[in-house]
Amino acid sequence: MMSHSVAGSCLATARARSIAPHSPLPLRERIAPCPSRQRGTAHRPFHKPRRQRRYRTLTRAMAEVVLPEGLGKRVLVVGGNRGLGLEMVKYLVKGGCEVAVSCRKSNEALDGAGCEQVIQGIDFMDDEVGVKLAGELRGNVDTLMMVAGYWSTETLETPMSGAEQRKMYQICAIAPLLIMQHLVLTGKLGKGSKIGFITSEGGSIGLRSEKESGNYAHHASKAASNSVGRMLSFDLKHRDVALVMLHPGFLKTEMTKPYEHLYEELGAIEPQEALPSILKAVGDLTLETTGRFIAPLGASGLGLGIYALPDPDNVPPFSELPW
């Protein structure tokens, strides 16, 4: 895993750059400013061809590695019945892994994916979710992929209810902690195992800018996710369990539908395109690199967070992100 850190550079002032007539434009200069829906700013054209080629080149290169050896043989995917989770399940099964999946309710696509075990009734709003999942999981796993999440939108003018805000914190930060704790304490995640915790660049305070507005609970709950993962990684390190927090990229899923008007502008991709790099990040994880918050796709997958970077071209795949 590359150890490039952008935490400092995100807070620095961007330097002026001279561009040679025939040199590629920096990534930042190929992206139009994010439109503000509240202010009614008109879209400016997004020069996407070069960014799209970067995605395709990256995913083609990653696709040659079917599955990283570091994932192990048996993987548990939490939240594997739709979106990124479902595509991950299918990819892992195709690669030869024994896959266990947990979800609230299965569906035809998941039933036909060839999983070793499907654990239904795992409700993140249940305070006993960790106990239930650890109790129903058959045997141990080499890798845990914590994929489940929740997103509800809000603005200053349209406040979110307190119950909806608490739900977001529960699903994004509290329930994942309970699950990871109980899987470790019951020995289902033992010595040498790994955890890939899907969070979001939305949880990075350093990547927020005035190009955005609202969604307070979303950003705060994802920041809580990153804090949980960071602190938990310290304790798990003593048990020889490594953990990494991952921004998966700006993906075209049901969860990002509120931002589909930005798919073209910010180069959103399908979940299956992001999978090789996500799984490589977890497969390459070691105790020396545990506790990091990274972007497997680099700046190209940051979505709205890219506007806070002084020089996106210096944020390659597998870079660390600012907290």
Side-chain angles (χ1 to χ4, degrees):
M1 179 186 299
M2 299 179 68
S3 59
H4 306 278
S5 175
V6 298
S9 65
C10 285
L11 302 177
T13 302
R15 296 180 177 178
R17 298 181 57 179
S18 59
I19 307 299
H22 301 292
S23 64
L25 285 174
L27 185 58
R28 189 182 186 87
E29 296 183 22
R30 298 198 298 268
I31 302 173
C34 173
S36 168
R37 286 171 293 173
Q38 283 74 32
R39 298 176 184 175
T41 304
H43 276 272
R44 288 174 55 186
F46 171 57
H47 306 290
K48 68 179 184 303
R50 188 173 286 112
R51 292 194 72 221
Q52 292 288 12
R53 282 201 298 273
R54 290 178 65 173
Y55 268 129
R56 302 301 182 258
T57 301
L58 176 64
T59 52
R60 279 201 300 270
M62 292 297 187
E64 295 173 2
V65 181
V66 178
L67 283 179
E69 292 184 6
L71 286 178
K73 184 64 176 175
R74 195 158 190 261
V75 179
L76 169 63
V77 179
V78 176
N81 59 342
R82 63 177 182 170
L84 175 63
L86 179 59
E87 294 301 325
M88 183 180 294
V89 168
K90 293 189 287 188
Y91 188 86
L92 290 168
V93 170
K94 184 178 179 181
C97 274
E98 298 173 2
V99 181
V101 184
S102 75
C103 57
R104 279 191 299 172
K105 186 177 180 181
S106 188
N107 52 46
E108 185 177 349
L110 180 57
D111 291 340
C115 301
E116 181 190 58
Q117 182 183 9
V118 175
I119 306 170
Q120 299 190 67
I122 300 302
D123 186 351
F124 274 39
M125 297 304 291
D126 182 0
D127 287 340
E128 298 299 313
V129 63
V131 175
K132 178 178 175 63
L133 178 52
E136 294 194 21
L137 177 65
R138 296 194 296 263
N140 302 343
V141 293
D142 301 304
T143 297
L144 165 66
M145 295 300 303
M146 183 67 65
V147 185
Y150 181 70
W151 185 1
S152 186
T153 59
E154 63 182 317
T155 67
L156 176 63
E157 293 78 15
T158 57
M160 183 183 296
S161 69
E164 186 71 1
Q165 292 198 35
R166 287 189 290 273
K167 180 179 180 180
M168 208 172 303
Y169 282 94
Q170 176 76 19
I171 293 176
C172 294
I174 298 173
L177 174 60
L178 294 173
I179 288 172
M180 291 185 283
Q181 281 180 311
H182 285 283
L183 288 174
V184 170
L185 294 176
T186 56
K188 299 296 176 74
L189 275 172
K191 186 176 181 179
S193 59
K194 301 178 180 182
I195 301 174
F197 188 9
I198 302 294
T199 62
S200 171
E201 64 82 21
S204 165
I205 297 175
L207 288 180
R208 306 281 57 83
S209 73
E210 291 186 17
K211 297 292 185 181
E212 302 178 69
S213 63
N215 293 327
Y216 314 112
H218 163 65
H219 293 296
S221 63
K222 288 300 185 182
S225 300
N226 288 330
S227 183
V228 162
R230 178 70 169 172
M231 295 306 299
L232 184 59
S233 72
F234 300 148
D235 293 327
L236 296 185
K237 186 174 183 178
H238 300 301
R239 293 174 176 263
D240 196 12
V241 176
L243 183 154
V244 63
M245 287 141 285
L246 303 158
H247 169 64
F250 189 26
L251 308 182
K252 297 179 180 179
T253 65
E254 182 180 337
M255 192 176 294
T256 63
K257 276 287 186 181
Y259 284 93
E260 63 181 338
H261 62 289
L262 294 177
Y263 281 175
E264 278 293 310
E265 181 174 336
L266 296 177
I269 61 174
E270 299 294 337
Q272 55 269 33
E273 293 184 77
L275 279 172
S277 47
I278 291 173
L279 295 175
K280 176 175 171 55
V282 180
D284 290 349
L285 181 61
T286 68
L287 291 179
E288 286 67 41
T289 59
T290 190
R292 295 181 179 180
F293 173 36
I294 69 171
L297 294 175
S300 293
L302 280 185
L304 292 171
I306 200 169
Y307 296 108
L309 295 176
D311 189 359
D313 281 312
N314 284 335
V315 184
F318 307 105
S319 291
E320 289 189 70
L321 295 177
W323 300 102

